[in-house]
Structures are given as structure tokens and as C-alpha cells.
Amino acid sequence: MLRLKRAGIEPKKHILDNEVSDAMKTMIKDEYKMELELVPPGCHRRNAAEVAIRNFKAHFLSILAGTDDDFPPSLWDRLLPQAEITINLLRQSNATPKVSAYAHMSGPFDYNKMPLAPMGCAVQVHEKTDKRGTWAYHSVDGWYIDTSAEHYRTHRCHIKDTKSERFTDTAQFHHKNITRPT
């Protein structure tokens, strides 16, 4: 609810399935002062949240299918922030169908500030001159995790050797497959 309020959105109705607890029903009605509606049992199509979950699962599975062959499966959760951004950029807002869900919640997406790249793809991360030795390699191997919302044109990558994350503004991407439009 806090995230919605920050975006200036005040929901008036909450639609849930039948598996909600009485405490949650009370909280929705009393604390948030919202109307509550339960969908019929077994009818997941009518619950917008169930449809959104199904769509996100399909989107996230396609992201995982596109990761590099040696991308560690244990890092899957690090891909979630950018996966949420990309699915919300792709789908329209229910309240304002002419804009994306991302634009409705956060305003227009600035592709210059936050460039997007294929999540989980292999990258060569540039080592800055003050962080490497005189005869050391100029880059290290890693995987792209996501774009940084706090930095300008900066990527967050997981470094193979150190098993740690690093922010970088210079990376070479090694995509598995890139199709070119004809």
C-alpha cells in the first residue's frame, strides 16, 4: 500500500480469492477502508492478481531461458528487480490504458539513465586503472544482473572470480542469441 500511496494511487476496492484470512479481510476493511470482494472458488481468470502472477511467471521463465549457459541458478533472485521493470514496461496500466504500468506508477522510463540489457548474459566488466595492477587484465568475467536506479547509466554485475556484485559503467556484453529484424 505504501508503494501505491507514493505513486498517488488510492485503491478503493480489493479483489481476492477465497483463501484470504479473516485477519487480512479485517485489515483491508478497517485499516485501509477499502471495499472487499471475493472471486468465486476455482475461477482464477476473474482475479487480476492471479492473471498477473501467471503473466509474470511466463515472463520470468523466458528471462531464465535466455541467461548464459554458466549463469549460476542461485542468482535467480537478483534478476527480479529488472524483471519487474521490464514486465511493467510491456503491459498497459489498468487505470490508464494509454500508458505502461511502469509509467503509471513511476512516471516515464528514462532509457538513457537506466539502459536495459539481457539479464544473466555474460559480460566483461572493465577494471578501473586505480583498481588494477600495471600488468593486470583490463576486465573481469561476470554476468549482467540489472540496471541501477540510483546511478546514471550504470549496470550491476556479478563477478565470477570474487563471487560479488559490482556497479560498472563500462561492460562488454556477450549475448547468447540476438535476432536482427529484417
Side-chain angles (χ1 to χ4, degrees), residues 18-76:
N18 289 307
E19 298 170 5
V20 65
S21 68
D22 290 332
M24 182 63 134
K25 288 180 192 177
T26 304
M27 184 174 75
I28 291 169
K29 290 177 187 173
D30 297 341
E31 188 176 329
Y32 294 117
K33 310 285 189 243
M34 293 171 53
E35 181 184 341
L36 178 68
E37 181 181 307
L38 300 177
V39 297
C43 188
H44 298 292
R45 293 184 313 265
R46 295 225 336 238
N47 188 344
E50 294 285 347
V51 173
I53 290 167
R54 184 187 68 219
N55 291 341
F56 183 81
K57 278 177 162 176
H59 178 69
F60 195 66
L61 286 173
S62 70
I63 290 169
L64 292 176
T67 60
D68 196 59
D69 291 334
D70 63 342
F71 181 76
S74 61
L75 295 178
W76 71 268

Side-chain angles (χ1 to χ4, degrees), residues 83-98:
E84 183 182 348
I85 290 171
T86 55
I87 195 164
N88 285 331
L89 285 170
L90 291 169
R91 68 181 195 89
Q92 70 183 24
S93 166
N94 290 338
T96 321
K98 294 195 184 268

Side-chain angles (χ1 to χ4, degrees), residues 57-180:
K57 278 177 162 176
H59 178 69
F60 195 66
L61 286 173
S62 70
I63 290 169
L64 292 176
T67 60
D68 196 59
D69 291 334
D70 63 342
F71 181 76
S74 61
L75 295 178
W76 71 268
D77 61 319
R78 310 305 292 156
L79 305 177
L80 289 173
Q82 186 167 316
E84 183 182 348
I85 290 171
T86 55
I87 195 164
N88 285 331
L89 285 170
L90 291 169
R91 68 181 195 89
Q92 70 183 24
S93 166
N94 290 338
T96 321
K98 294 195 184 268
V99 300
S100 69
Y102 182 91
H104 184 78
M105 290 286 291
S106 307
F109 185 79
D110 186 354
Y111 289 93
N112 287 323
K113 179 183 180 224
M114 295 172 56
L116 301 174
M119 292 170 268
C121 85
V123 293
Q124 287 281 308
V125 177
H126 181 255
E127 291 268 273
K128 304 292 183 194
T129 53
D130 60 335
K131 302 288 184 197
R132 68 173 190 256
T134 306
W135 294 98
Y137 291 115
H138 290 212
S139 66
V140 292
D141 292 331
W143 299 280
Y144 176 82
I145 300 294
D146 67 356
T147 186
S148 172
E150 298 173 344
H151 303 89
Y152 186 78
R153 299 187 66 78
T154 303
H155 307 287
R156 186 163 49 115
C157 299
H158 185 85
I159 307 303
K160 288 182 183 181
D161 291 339
T162 61
K163 294 182 174 46
S164 63
E165 291 182 1
R166 182 183 305 175
F167 289 102
T168 184
D169 60 347
T170 310
Q172 174 70 40
F173 295 90
H174 301 287
H175 310 268
K176 218 160 67 167
N177 295 316
I178 298 285
T179 56
R180 294 178 189 223

